[in-house]
Amino acid sequence: MDVDATRLTRVEENLKRLQLNAQVICGDARTPAEWWHGKQFDRILLDAPCSATGVIRRHPDIKWLRRADDIAQLVSLQSEILDAMWAQLKSGGTLVYATCSVTPQENAEQVRAFLARTQDASLKTGTLEQPGRQILPGEENMDGFYYAELTKA
């Protein structure tokens, strides 16, 4: 699912090219009541909207396009999406939170804040001090990337 119909068109084209099938939904992850079918998910990959600071080496224009208040707005949006999608996850299910960012606010701090306010969430990757896995740009010739695997009690 994605809020952007244009991106979903590319997803559908790639699915067709790869001869794969998937239900593609255009909707806002913050408002599942508008698109959700009522059945909770076993697994959720939340590729959160982010500052894209991990891909600056391939997209240097990001440095000039970002403003100081962008990070705070993105952190708020990520938090809303994370909370809304957590409610759609089955007990015993797994949610992977991912960004292509390297900012702590969007990554480790976001996950720590989520764990602090969510009683039925536990961390599967990393520790509470260093939740998830942060890959920095250039590490093993990769872009910057973050993920944390969370399990619902």
Side-chain angles (χ1 to χ4, degrees), residues 31-50:
T31 55
E34 296 175 5
W35 54 264
W36 186 47
H37 52 66
K39 184 178 174 191
Q40 288 186 303
F41 299 101
D42 296 312
R43 293 175 191 87
I44 296 173
L45 170 60
L46 197 171
D47 182 7
C50 69

Side-chain angles (χ1 to χ4, degrees), residues 89-119:
L89 186 66
K90 285 182 184 177
S91 180
T94 298
L95 183 145
V96 174
Y97 173 81
T99 73
C100 61
S101 171
V102 295
T103 67
Q105 303 96 312
E106 295 178 87
N107 298 334
E109 291 174 17
Q110 180 73 268
V111 171
R112 272 195 298 274
F114 174 76
L115 290 167
R117 70 177 179 269
T118 311
Q119 296 297 319

Side-chain angles (χ1 to χ4, degrees), residues 47 56 74 76 80 86 107 111-112 146:
D47 182 7
I56 287 176
L74 284 165
S76 178
E80 289 177 42
W86 190 255
N107 298 334
V111 171
R112 272 195 298 274
Y146 175 85

